Amino acid sequence: MERDNVIVIGAGVGGLTSAALLAARGLDVTVVEAAATPGGKMRQVTSGGAMVDGGPTVFTMRDVFEDLFDSCGATLSDHLTLRPASLLARHAWNEDRLDLFADRDASEAAIGNFAGAAEAKGYRRFYDEAQQIFRSLDHPFMRSQRAGPTRLAWEMGKANPSDLLTTRPFNSLWGALGDHFRDPRLRQLFGRYATYCGSSPFKCPATLMLIAHVEARGVWLVDGGMFALAKAIEGLAIRNGARFRYGERVTEILVDKGKASGVTLASGERLHARSVVCNADPAALASGRFGQAAQRAVGAIPASGRSLAAMVWTAHSKTDGFPLAHHNVFFSNDYAAEFESLGQNKLAVSPTVYVCAQDRDDLGVGPDGAERLQILVNAPAIGDGKGFTQGEIDQCRLQMLETTGRAGLLLELPASGTTLATPTDFEAMFPSTGGALYGQASHGWVASFRRPGARTKIPGLYLAGGSTHPGAGVPMAALSGGLAVDILLRDLALTSRLMQKVMPGGTSTPAATTAASA
Ligand SMILES: Cc1cc2nc3c(=O)[nH]c(=O)nc-3n(C[C@H](O)[C@H](O)[C@H](O)COP(=O)(O)OP(=O)(O)OC[C@H]3O[C@@H](n4cnc5c(N)ncnc54)[C@H](O)[C@@H]3O)c2cc1C
């Protein structure tokens, strides 16, 4: 009997996860990806002859990927080498430095030395609160289908909407940090976690302090860089029978009698399928890039609500003057002004700069001579509008070097060995986003409930990825891929049961049987 077939549009981590899970459950899966390689934002860039991670660099929530491999009959550690990082990140404010560690007591001691005993106590309170929020929302929100606030409160196990208040949806993160820290540098450090989903700490809810806990639960260094994770999930999908078609763009999602029925490629070729999982940004659907019929699959996604984009330099070059760790943050002198500029669609005069020294190990030991670097500055998502002039880009580079230079870091960035991705470049890779890297910003308490869920308004068409519930980041996008599969299999099982009722004696597909018993 013919297997149920599924087209997955996009081989970002959400699409890869959906493909691997669906293939492992016996469905006939074809992934169509516009780029030449898997990974989407989790991509490698050639700089100075070296392959440098040009997207995510901080690997967290290892359990999400262990579960994924388990569900597909494999073991993550057989396909990916992960080393736990004891030093989470090095932070610098001009010449002041603070390291955070995986070990809570070590972080507390470092904060005590850096800012005094009261701040160390504040860190302990903050850590406990972040942990509490994470625990409250991990399963009911992050690992569950999208729900409204009332349902979420119910799922949190108490059926009392006031319990949701313990996650502090109505306080800003910046305000809540003031309850724990007096030292503005520590507020800045922990407020920066808002940018992990492209948001401002001044506008996002205090709930996002859970991201600090995600990092405190563990950060791992990935042998081969983050791109190795994309390759590992691609391999998992292929071993279970999925096919990948790279360098092919989907131009239309076919809708027949109100139901998704396949896709058209830029070449004109049509691929028919019973279900379609879209890992492209939902904004591309909403703007009609997949055709008029598919446009109604999601509601409007306003450009005004976009998360941040970034200027990302990748280089293979020498550094001096500052003992780089694997992850490093060089803070702006004026954090409020930085986010005010970004909110006005401008680049910051004094930007915060993230530097990943990819070749450095946990203790900061790296190669002599040139090393692989990623340098990131937040930018507004205006890549589909006027973008930035060469003058503005040059100025941004100077300001970036000014921030890192204040801490003593000397970066050699020769034109031949350095590449830059601007919001305009990200728009070209991830259409209709303006270069926003994390979907809609998490500003205000309703933002999390407004992200599209896996199910769309068109039967047979599902969404997966970092702009979809539960949110941005590599593990979250993977969770989203899993949620799309859960719904898709449930729908197939339902259709199959209905068919059996309509046509007595009909047999269900292996996939539907699996789903029904899942
Ligand atoms: C510079 C940078 C740093 C980051 N840092 C971190 C970090 O440290 N830790 C972390 O967890 N997260 C980080 N993130 C966020 C994380 O990378 C993303 O949330 C996640 O990778 C998004 O995955 P996704 O499933 O949404 O797919 P995406 O990565 O958005 O990929 C979507 C895919 O769909 C393809 N596609 C789109 N349209 C079509 C079409 N019409 N036809 C065919 N294919 C199409 C695209 O080519 C792309 O490959 C970072 C992102 C960036 C860019």
Side-chain angles (χ1 to χ4, degrees):
M1 155 165 258
E2 233 176 70
R3 292 183 296 160
D4 278 317
N5 65 341
V6 183
I7 306 276
V8 178
I9 305 170
V13 66
L16 289 170
T17 301
S18 293
L21 287 168
L22 289 166
R25 273 145 194 75
L27 277 76
D28 177 348
V29 179
T30 304
V31 181
V32 183
E33 167 56 58
T37 51
K41 295 182 180 86
M42 198 157 57
R43 66 200 187 100
Q44 276 187 322
V45 181
T46 312
S47 303
M51 300 301 282
V52 187
D53 271 342
T57 52
V58 184
F59 181 87
T60 56
M61 295 179 78
R62 172 192 175 132
D63 56 312
V64 168
F65 299 96
E66 280 170 344
D67 290 352
L68 167 63
F69 276 71
D70 275 1
S71 308
C72 297
T75 304
L76 178 67
S77 57
D78 291 343
H79 302 279
L80 198 67
T81 305
L82 299 172
R83 283 167 295 119
S86 59
L87 197 170
L88 298 182
R90 178 156 294 157
H91 306 86
W93 296 261
N94 305 326
E95 283 166 5
D96 298 342
R97 276 181 218 154
L98 172 64
D99 288 350
L100 279 192
F101 300 93
D103 179 64
R104 167 186 168 149
D105 293 339
S107 290
E108 195 178 323
I111 289 172
N113 289 334
F114 178 74
E119 298 299 285
K121 243 182 169 174
Y123 169 71
R124 188 165 278 270
R125 278 197 313 271
F126 168 74
Y127 186 103
D128 288 343
E129 187 176 9
Q131 182 175 49
Q132 175 57 40
I133 295 177
F134 176 84
R135 285 190 179 151
S136 303
L137 294 175
D138 184 19
H139 281 275
F141 184 78
M142 292 189 268
R143 296 176 205 247
S144 301
Q145 303 291 346
R146 192 184 72 140
T150 315
R151 165 98 185 281
L152 176 59
W154 176 268
E155 295 291 334
M156 284 167 73
K158 289 127 185 164
N160 179 356
S162 68
D163 287 326
L164 201 53
L165 298 180
T166 59
T167 66
R168 297 242 234 164
F170 304 124
N171 298 101
S172 77
L173 177 59
W174 190 258
L177 287 169
D179 296 345
H180 300 300
F181 302 108
R182 288 200 172 276
D183 190 316
R185 296 169 303 178
L186 295 175
R187 254 171 123 174
Q188 215 174 354
L189 190 164
F190 293 108
R192 181 177 162 271
Y193 285 111
T195 62
Y196 280 33
C197 56
S199 304
S200 159
F202 300 93
K203 292 188 180 162
C204 75
T207 318
L208 287 196
M209 67 173 76
L210 70 83
I211 301 173
H213 182 69
V214 165
E215 219 174 82
R217 282 173 84 226
V219 171
W220 284 265
L221 305 182
V222 185
D223 273 11
M226 290 293 281
F227 184 65
L229 173 65
K231 289 297 290 178
I233 308 175
E234 181 208 43
L236 184 67
I238 289 173
R239 279 191 299 282
N240 280 297
R243 285 181 300 278
F244 283 78
R245 294 183 59 165
Y246 289 109
E248 307 227 44
R249 184 171 289 281
V250 171
T251 52
E252 186 186 8
I253 295 173
L254 301 169
V255 179
D256 183 27
K257 299 191 184 91
K259 193 183 166 310
S261 61
V263 300
T264 307
L265 308 185
S267 62
E269 185 183 354
R270 284 185 164 206
L271 304 176
H272 291 281
R274 193 158 168 200
S275 316
V276 175
V277 176
C278 181
N279 178 223
D281 200 286
L285 262 175
S287 65
R289 280 184 191 264
F290 290 105
Q292 264 185 1
Q295 195 169 4
R296 67 170 187 86
V298 290
I301 299 185
S304 57
R306 283 174 181 165
S307 60
L308 293 171
M311 294 282 194
V312 183
W313 290 267
T314 39
H316 186 235
S317 64
K318 289 189 193 152
T319 68
D320 203 358
F322 181 94
L324 283 170
H326 193 97
H327 301 290
N328 309 270
V329 185
F330 299 85
F331 279 104
S332 152
N333 274 339
D334 189 341
Y335 217 35
E338 177 172 4
F339 283 93
E340 212 171 296
S341 297
L342 294 168
Q344 293 165 359
N345 285 342
K346 289 193 258 178
L347 291 161
V349 173
S350 167
T352 296
V353 181
Y354 165 76
V355 177
C356 175
Q358 192 181 334
D359 295 318
R360 302 224 175 200
D361 69 10
D362 192 29
L363 301 171
V365 178
D368 289 335
E371 61 181 312
R372 291 179 295 170
L373 299 169
Q374 182 195 111
I375 305 158
L376 184 149
V377 165
N378 290 317
I382 56 170
D384 54 347
K386 66 182 179 63
F388 295 105
T389 63
Q390 192 54 49
E392 287 169 317
I393 292 170
D394 293 344
Q395 183 65 15
C396 178
R397 180 187 155 108
L398 281 178
Q399 306 291 7
M400 175 272 284
L401 291 171
E402 156 83 22
T403 302
T404 51
R406 279 200 311 267
L409 176 64
L410 299 173
L411 288 166
E412 259 182 39
L413 298 176
S416 60
T418 310
T419 55
L420 168 66
T422 68
T424 305
D425 299 316
F426 286 118
E427 160 68 21
M429 288 182 270
F430 312 109
S432 301
T433 61
L437 299 172
Y438 317 88
Q440 294 289 96
S442 298
H443 293 162
W445 72 274
V446 282
S448 301
F449 301 108
R450 284 210 180 121
R451 276 180 190 272
R455 191 189 289 291
T456 71
K457 292 177 190 158
I458 298 183
L461 175 59
Y462 306 87
L463 301 180
S467 303
T468 302
H469 172 82
V474 171
M476 301 288 264
L479 286 174
S480 153
L483 292 173
V485 168
D486 286 349
I487 293 228
L488 187 157
L489 293 179
R490 228 182 290 161
D491 286 353
L492 284 182
L494 197 66
T495 317
S496 161
R497 277 202 296 270
L498 281 174
M499 291 296 286
Q500 279 180 332
K501 272 193 185 160
V502 178
M503 299 188 302
T507 47
S508 57
T509 64
T513 311
T514 318
S517 58

